[in-house]
Amino acid sequence: MARIIVCIATCNRPQGLRRTLHSIAALETAHQIEVLIADNDAARAEGMGVVERLAAQGYRWPIKALLVAERGIPVVRNRLVAEALARPGATHVAMLDDDEAASPGWIDALVDTAMRWNADVVGGAVAREMDARVAHWAARHPLLQAKRRGNSGPVALVDSTANVLMTAQALHQMGERPFDERMALTGGSDKQLFSRMARKGFRFAWSEEALVTELIPASRVTAKWLLMRGYRLGMTDMMVERFHKGRLRTLLIEAPRIAAGFLVGTLGAAATFDRGKRVVRLGKLYRAIGKIAGIAGFRYEEYRKVHGA
């Protein structure tokens, strides 16, 4: 039996957090579960209020909320990891986002995959649910599709804490602040950590059965958001690569992909009247520009704005 600390970072999403916590209360598992929430909104502390109300109503699992005043996703995650690893007997730390709901078999699927393939880190599938009707052109966009790999098993890397299980032993070896706080509001600190773990020889696996469902707000189903998400992903990918390889080597490796992105994003976008295809192709241009920005050291702080409620 594992002892798992489920960690959730939250900021200005009380409705989403409530949905997430209700899903965790409905888990079908014999493992020992404890839930930690870190609220990154010191002004309103709405997440703290959600947790206090659920605890007063007799929440199924031991639950605790922390208030983290300094803004930044890796700052919050580092506080969660420190608190989780301080729990006596903790074997694993699981993370999901405050806009996600776990399926009943979520935690058992993650643990089973970790045991079957002796993995230190296990990522899981993410389905998408829209909170409003989506235009036909947007519904086909890759960033709005489910995150699946088809099969469970060993993988070279997972890149997100949106649905992940990590062994406490592996996290202990990554230092007191495993998430890079220089990436406070840019995103990408999770991929940064997992890239470092891969270089240290830790093993990764994927669980197709460990499903969570992300609720996509209407504010993220716009051409502007989709294009800027592509830009941000290109930028943070290069921030991670620069960390490991340096600026010049990263530029030399990425130059052909950047050139291809410019070609597809300009000529390809101009060659179609289909809005959906045009936005996807323009996204390759934005991602290429984001890569240049990341290599050059520019920062776009996507997470200054919170989407959802």
Side-chain angles (χ1 to χ4, degrees):
M1 183 185 296
R3 184 168 185 221
I4 304 156
I5 315 301
V6 178
C7 295
I8 305 161
T10 189
C11 185
N12 296 340
R13 283 181 182 156
Q15 295 177 33
L17 178 63
R18 192 176 298 108
R19 173 175 173 264
T20 303
L21 292 174
H22 282 314
S23 74
I24 294 171
L27 289 175
E28 297 173 356
T29 181
H31 295 298
Q32 295 180 19
I33 304 294
E34 186 172 344
V35 183
L36 280 177
I37 297 92
D39 189 344
N40 202 203
D41 178 15
R44 291 187 287 183
E46 292 174 303
M48 298 286 291
V50 169
V51 173
E52 290 168 1
R53 285 189 290 274
L54 288 177
Q57 294 166 9
Y59 192 72
R60 179 183 177 189
W61 311 110
I63 188 169
K64 179 181 178 181
L66 318 166
L67 190 63
V68 181
E70 183 182 352
R71 282 295 304 275
I73 297 169
V75 177
V76 177
R77 288 176 180 155
N78 283 337
R79 178 70 184 278
L80 285 167
V81 168
E83 289 280 340
L85 295 182
R87 298 292 190 272
T91 60
H92 297 82
V93 174
M95 288 188 174
L96 75 168
D97 290 344
D98 63 351
D99 56 1
E100 295 177 323
S103 59
W106 170 63
I107 205 71
D108 279 19
L110 287 173
V111 174
D112 291 349
T113 299
M115 295 178 64
R116 182 176 179 184
W117 280 286
N118 194 26
D120 303 289
V121 181
V122 179
V126 181
R128 317 288 190 188
E129 178 185 336
M130 308 300 167
D131 75 350
R133 187 175 179 274
V134 177
H136 179 67
W137 70 266
R140 296 172 288 160
H141 198 284
L143 289 176
L144 300 179
Q145 304 308 303
K147 186 176 181 180
R148 293 185 177 274
R149 299 197 183 199
N151 297 297
S152 300
V155 293
L157 190 73
V158 299
D159 60 4
S160 172
T161 53
N163 179 2
V164 73
L165 180 79
M166 301 165 279
T167 65
Q169 182 180 17
L171 280 172
H172 272 298
Q173 295 183 48
M174 298 310 296
E176 292 184 2
R177 292 181 174 85
F179 293 96
D180 190 338
E181 295 182 2
R182 293 172 296 181
M183 306 175 83
L185 296 170
T186 63
S189 62
D190 39 10
K191 186 173 183 178
Q192 171 88 302
L193 170 61
F194 297 140
S195 297
R196 288 173 51 219
M197 295 178 82
R199 287 172 175 266
K200 285 181 173 288
F202 290 109
R203 295 171 297 273
F204 295 80
W206 178 262
S207 176
E208 193 73 1
E209 296 76 27
L211 180 67
V212 303
T213 301
E214 178 186 6
L215 185 64
I216 306 290
S219 59
R220 283 186 168 180
V221 191
T222 67
K224 179 181 178 180
W225 186 89
L226 293 167
L227 292 173
M228 290 307 297
R229 170 53 69 98
Y231 175 91
R232 196 277 290 175
L233 289 171
M235 182 195 72
T236 52
D237 280 352
M238 294 306 98
M239 291 172 70
V240 172
E241 291 301 303
R242 279 179 51 202
F243 179 86
H244 296 299
K245 300 172 183 175
R247 193 187 308 268
L248 180 58
R249 187 179 172 203
T250 298
L251 176 60
L252 292 173
I253 292 171
E254 290 296 325
R257 298 187 185 97
I258 291 172
F262 270 86
L263 184 64
V264 173
T266 52
L267 298 181
T272 180
F273 292 103
D274 184 299
R275 186 182 180 189
K277 291 180 181 179
R278 186 165 63 251
V279 171
V280 170
R281 293 173 187 178
L282 279 173
K284 296 183 184 300
L285 173 62
Y286 272 67
R287 191 157 189 159
I289 296 171
K291 287 185 176 185
I292 294 172
I295 293 170
F298 292 103
R299 290 173 178 253
Y300 164 56
E301 295 184 329
E302 177 186 353
Y303 290 98
R304 280 198 178 277
K305 180 178 181 180
V306 176
H307 294 261

